[in-house]
Amino acid sequence: MLSATMVAISVILMTLVAFITVYTSLSTTVDRDLDDRADSLLQKTMDPLFVARLGDEVQQFRNYNPDTRVTISPPGWTVSVGDPIIFRSLKKGQEENGATTSIETVGRERVLVKSNEYGARVVLAREMTSTQQIVSSLAVVLIAISALGVLVAIGVGMIIANAGLRPLARLQRAVEYVTRTDKLKPIEVSGHDELALLTHSFNDMMEALQRSRTRQTQLVADAGHELKTPLTSMRTNIELLMMVNRSDSPASIPPEEREALERDVLAQMEELSTLVGDLVDLAREDAPQQMDMDEDMAEVMDTSLERVQRRRPDVHFDAQIIPWIVRGDGFALGRAMLNLMDNAAKWSPAEGTVRIRMTQVDERTVGITIADEGPGIPPEDRERVFERFYRSAESRSMPGSGLGLAIVRQVIERHGGSIVADEAPSGGALMRVTLPGHPWEETSGAADPHETPAPPPEDGAQRRKAFAERWLKRKSD
């Protein structure tokens, strides 16, 4: 409707302009022709022979101009010879070269009155019926063309609108289909215009939603499967303890077996607690998080190392750590480093050594390696150990949920780094981590004046204490 309205306005304006132009042009042509003939007749009135034969001259003029009436009054005459023509006085006429001209429309005739300085006067009246018919025909044609143009504009506008809105209609149907069926089916893309780009973006959004839904479904399925085993075992042990504790129960078990059952229940409760915590950490990593803080990896590594040393005092930790700034989430990085160190300590034998090395690879990359002296990871399992809930045959007898390394890889990749599993020189497992960032010294002289300056690297105890306080606060949250 908008395009049709604009075209209609344009066509109507063009029609009016064309009509006025043609009408004015025709009228001007008639007026000029009458003026030329009146000039010729006025000049002839100065010829005595012309005046003597005035009646014949008027008749001859009529013969050559049948559509024009004429009346002539020579100089000094008070009467006119020719046709009776009604006209106005010459007081309002235009004067040029001593001649006065007046022109007007009377009825269906165009009347021109012209007199010269000697008193001669010529009046011409031309029938305008043919001219008006031409103008009327032109008006009809222009109106028809205008109407046709408006109809064509409406049709073309509808075609263009339908063609332009067809992708939006498909998009709307796709949204309704997803709402109705809950199936994320992509939309067919045609063309390369803005609507095609919009369709591509919508398909990308549905693909991301599908991946998110798949991860959610897999997480729920895997979590249910992993929770079922400890719950079933714990339920069996609790039912056995309840049956033994009944006053009317004839069954009894030795104290040492009872204590073993209680320890088993507590271990299973701890396993469930660890699994639930890992699931919460995994869900937290799946959610969008802020990545706009500069974190010192030395603090992260020191704090994680102190925690794992308290858990495994029988394992020796050989660590070489350098200051390094990583932009991201310090709590998530600490959780990832702690998981790696815990995993190395878990597989190391008593009095074994876990070697931690942190070295600068280049100006914008740091490398972290954590090696243990355990049995190592078979080559065929080194990629799968980072999958959720995956546990090799050797590790199924050990406590754990199979989520630790999956959380580690998710954290590392979210910070723009990478992690691979390899074999340590001692035969144990070796985890290689790379993270982007820059050395701590680069920020010491170019800090933002609005930010709190970072503490000096020699104040390590204070840095570790502050980082541990933030760690515990976020862990409790």
Side-chain angles (χ1 to χ4, degrees), residues 137-322:
S137 301
L138 176 64
V140 173
V141 172
L142 291 175
I143 292 174
I145 292 175
S146 300
L148 181 62
V150 172
L151 294 178
V152 170
I154 293 175
V156 172
M158 293 178 63
I159 293 173
I160 293 175
N162 290 333
L165 295 176
R166 191 174 296 117
L168 288 179
R170 289 202 305 267
L171 187 62
Q172 180 183 2
R173 290 194 298 269
V175 173
E176 293 174 351
Y177 177 81
V178 171
T179 304
R180 185 176 63 256
T181 64
D182 203 29
K183 296 180 180 179
L184 301 177
K185 182 180 179 181
I187 308 172
E188 180 182 356
V189 181
S190 59
H192 303 281
D193 55 3
E194 290 79 2
L195 292 176
L197 295 177
L198 176 62
T199 306
H200 276 297
S201 299
F202 188 79
N203 286 340
D204 293 340
M205 180 188 68
M206 289 200 297
E207 184 179 353
L209 288 175
Q210 183 62 49
R211 290 196 301 268
S212 176
R213 179 182 294 178
T214 302
R215 289 196 304 268
Q216 181 183 12
T217 303
Q218 186 66 33
L219 178 62
V220 172
D222 292 342
H225 176 74
E226 294 296 327
L227 288 170
K228 184 184 298 183
T229 300
L231 281 174
T232 302
S233 178
M234 187 169 61
R235 177 180 178 179
T236 301
N237 291 334
I238 292 176
E239 287 178 348
L240 179 59
L241 289 173
M242 291 173 60
M243 181 182 64
V244 171
N245 287 335
R246 291 177 183 172
S247 58
D248 57 345
S249 175
S252 62
I253 58 176
E256 59 275 8
E257 293 185 8
R258 180 187 181 91
E259 292 177 359
L261 281 175
E262 292 175 351
R263 287 195 301 272
D264 198 11
V265 170
L266 291 176
Q268 290 161 354
M269 292 176 63
E270 181 66 24
E271 183 179 356
L272 280 175
S273 177
T274 302
L275 178 59
V276 171
D278 289 342
L279 290 173
V280 171
D281 290 341
L282 196 63
R284 182 184 291 117
E285 287 304 314
D286 283 335
Q289 298 182 20
Q290 293 183 349
M291 302 283 290
D292 56 355
M293 295 293 294
D294 285 340
E295 301 290 345
D296 188 355
M297 281 302 296
E299 294 181 355
V300 174
M301 298 293 290
D302 287 341
T303 306
S304 301
L305 184 59
E306 287 182 0
R307 296 188 64 188
V308 75
Q309 282 176 332
R310 289 194 297 267
R311 298 180 183 180
R312 287 296 304 270
D314 58 331
V315 175
H316 175 65
F317 290 88
D318 179 13
Q320 295 180 5
I321 299 172
I322 63 173

Side-chain angles (χ1 to χ4, degrees), residues 446-461:
D448 190 335
H450 300 287
E451 294 181 357
T452 303
E458 47 267 286
D459 192 11

Side-chain angles (χ1 to χ4, degrees), residues 314-344:
D314 58 331
V315 175
H316 175 65
F317 290 88
D318 179 13
Q320 295 180 5
I321 299 172
I322 63 173
W324 187 264
I325 300 299
V326 174
R327 192 164 187 84
D329 185 353
F331 178 73
L333 290 170
R335 185 170 62 245
M337 295 299 107
L338 180 62
N339 283 350
L340 290 176
M341 295 178 190
D342 264 336
N343 196 61

